[in-house]
Amino acid sequence: MISFYHLADIHLDQPFSTLASVDGFPSKRREEIFSEFKRILKQAIEEQPDFLFISGDMYEHEYTKIKTIKEINEYFSKLKGRVILICGNHDPESKNSFYSSYPWASNVFILGRKKPYMFFEEKKVCVYGIGYDTGGGQFRELETIKTDRRYTNVLMLHGDADLSISTYNSVNSELLKDIGFDYVAMGHNHKMYVKDNIYNPGSLCQLKFDDEGEHGYFKGDLETKKVEFVESRSRKYADITIPYEKLSTFEQEYTDKSTIYRIKVTGVKNENDIINPIEGYDYLHIIDKRELPKRANCETVSQGIKGRFEKVMNERIMKESPEEKEIYKDALNLGLKALMNEGLDLE
Ligand SMILES: [Mn+2]
């Protein structure tokens, strides 16, 4: 048995600025992601797998402080097996990266440009790592890999398989098969997929409205090739478009208070149709997408013109002599009638 855990795209310390419309929610969400990651690490410490693979984007290079890294490393150090990490595009291989600068525990190994593979003799496993460094294109390394069939060969790759729209590190699954990997531990794409022996767990927790589907990690045995997907504990996201008339049914229909809701209200916005706040949900952001009725649109414009006309005329009336005042008052009234499309009664 060669037991393993395979995670990717935890994105620790992501700013979650799109969730800022609810006060304090971004930092709450950051903490939730971190504690879910730690919960899984604790479980790994109980089960002691031979390998823990993390296929990139474990943290956000721009935002993560050394405190986070220190805490993770403490968990890693309690594992008897090997922890193998590669870089992702959010935590790229660079001189000032924690991957190169932090004094990681002795069972933690970072694969990449400097150390592209490692043999673990006691389990007869060879792990190759193709992470991300600035510029991308690391997948070309694949052409240089010759696997030794006496070993169980694992490839960790931060990129995509068979996805032509990926801007970098998109690899052909047939090529991976030809090279002879027994298990391909992907990372980068936040949606989970499995294709033959290519496993992409997706982001550990859902991080965006459009990262639909299940989120979690893989757990398995490299010898029997039995792999299972374990769902993480994560809030769901719901991006809902709802007509104004149906908004009152929202609470009956969506009862999960922990889901992150973004509600776009559509329809026509009449003067007294206000949107009442919906209370009792952890995160709920209403976006008013209603359109003004055509007639109301014209009125707003003419009210603008009427208002300006009235203002200019009144200023003039103030300045004039008593006789002149009367003439300007008449002009004001006639003008307003004309702007309101009322018949003018001119003598
Ligand atoms: Mn990525």
Side-chain angles (χ1 to χ4, degrees):
M1 173 141 182
I2 311 168
S3 55
F4 72 90
Y5 272 44
H6 164 208
L7 287 76
D9 296 270
I10 300 119
H11 288 269
L12 294 172
D13 296 324
Q14 184 171 301
F16 290 109
S17 41
T18 52
L19 302 180
S21 73
V22 171
D23 216 24
F25 201 83
S27 65
K28 191 176 174 182
R29 187 81 188 121
R30 278 197 292 278
E31 278 161 33
E32 284 171 0
I33 306 278
F34 197 18
S35 49
E36 178 58 4
F37 182 43
K38 287 187 280 193
R39 189 185 67 85
I40 291 158
L41 291 177
K42 272 182 212 153
Q43 205 176 296
I45 291 164
E46 266 173 43
E47 291 178 16
Q48 291 294 351
D50 297 311
F51 291 97
L52 166 60
F53 303 120
I54 302 181
S55 300
D57 284 354
M58 179 169 74
Y59 64 88
E60 293 281 336
H61 175 75
E62 258 185 78
Y63 303 97
T64 294
K65 304 272 187 305
I66 199 156
K67 197 174 147 271
T68 306
I69 301 297
K70 192 170 174 274
E71 211 178 328
I72 299 167
N73 188 53
E74 270 163 33
Y75 281 90
F76 287 170
S77 70
K78 290 178 187 143
L79 288 162
K80 296 189 184 86
R82 317 299 177 105
V83 178
I84 326 249
L85 311 172
I86 58 168
C87 303
N89 51 319
H90 288 258
D91 49 8
E93 190 170 352
S94 62
K95 270 192 198 120
N96 63 347
S97 132
F98 289 122
Y99 290 126
S100 27
S101 67
Y102 193 79
W104 296 93
S106 59
N107 61 328
V108 179
F109 303 92
I110 290 113
L111 297 181
R113 217 169 0 161
K114 275 181 235 144
K115 195 194 282 177
Y117 61 89
M118 272 187 88
F119 286 101
F120 299 95
E121 292 297 336
E122 70 280 16
K123 289 282 175 186
K124 281 281 182 199
V125 171
C126 181
V127 184
Y128 297 84
I130 300 180
Y132 180 86
D133 58 58
T134 38
Q138 290 74 38
F139 65 93
R140 287 186 207 97
E141 293 298 315
L142 282 172
E143 286 159 27
T144 67
I145 296 176
K146 295 256 181 309
T147 52
D148 182 337
R149 301 297 162 103
R150 288 167 304 171
Y151 288 80
T152 298
N153 293 290
V154 174
L155 169 70
M156 294 171 71
L157 174 72
H158 196 79
D160 264 304
D162 300 330
L163 196 74
S164 56
I165 54 159
S166 182
T167 48
Y168 64 93
N169 282 354
S170 181
V171 297
N172 188 301
S173 57
E174 291 301 315
L175 174 68
L176 298 178
K177 212 182 269 175
D178 290 347
I179 299 171
F181 296 114
D182 298 281
Y183 184 91
V184 179
M186 297 288 289
H188 182 54
N189 194 318
H190 288 191
K191 290 181 189 173
M192 187 268 276
Y193 64 79
V194 178
K195 192 169 187 177
D196 304 322
N197 59 350
I198 303 167
Y199 290 84
N200 182 72
S203 58
L204 179 64
C205 298
Q206 188 165 354
L207 303 171
K208 278 190 292 205
F209 284 100
D210 47 12
D211 295 342
E212 299 109 345
E214 292 171 295
H215 291 269
Y217 61 99
F218 292 111
K219 206 162 111 163
D221 176 6
L222 292 174
E223 242 166 34
T224 61
K225 303 205 169 160
K226 253 190 87 182
V227 181
E228 62 168 315
F229 180 72
V230 185
E231 246 190 292
S232 64
R233 295 177 188 167
S234 169
R235 285 177 194 271
K236 302 265 177 286
Y237 283 58
D239 202 4
I240 298 159
T241 301
I242 191 163
Y244 177 75
E245 296 72 33
K246 295 250 173 76
L247 192 59
S248 55
T249 65
F250 175 83
E251 281 163 282
Q252 288 133 48
E253 207 172 324
Y254 297 92
T255 49
D256 185 354
K257 308 279 184 195
S258 69
T259 292
I260 296 171
Y261 292 101
R262 184 167 66 189
I263 307 169
K264 291 180 190 123
V265 181
T266 56
V268 176
K269 185 181 193 167
N270 292 306
E271 216 170 315
N272 296 319
D273 291 348
I274 48 156
I275 294 175
N276 291 314
I278 300 170
E279 309 280 355
Y281 289 82
D282 289 354
Y283 183 94
L284 193 143
H285 180 203
I286 297 176
I287 304 166
D288 192 354
K289 289 268 186 191
R290 290 176 299 167
E291 281 170 25
L292 290 169
K294 282 265 152 55
R295 238 184 65 232
N297 259 333
C298 298
E299 215 163 274
T300 317
V301 172
S302 68
Q303 259 169 13
I305 292 168
K306 271 189 319 203
R308 265 171 62 199
F309 173 66
E310 226 173 333
K311 194 172 165 254
V312 169
M313 291 303 276
N314 281 325
E315 277 166 8
R316 191 67 189 255
I317 291 163
M318 302 268 280
K319 286 184 210 149
E320 295 295 339
S321 63
E323 306 94 281
E324 293 286 311
K325 263 190 192 0
E326 291 312 307
I327 297 166
Y328 276 102
K329 274 183 189 168
D330 284 345
L332 170 63
N333 288 332
L334 287 171
L336 284 177
K337 277 187 177 172
L339 286 170
M340 285 186 283
N341 277 333
E342 287 180 26
L344 291 185
D345 192 34
L346 293 169
E347 285 167 23

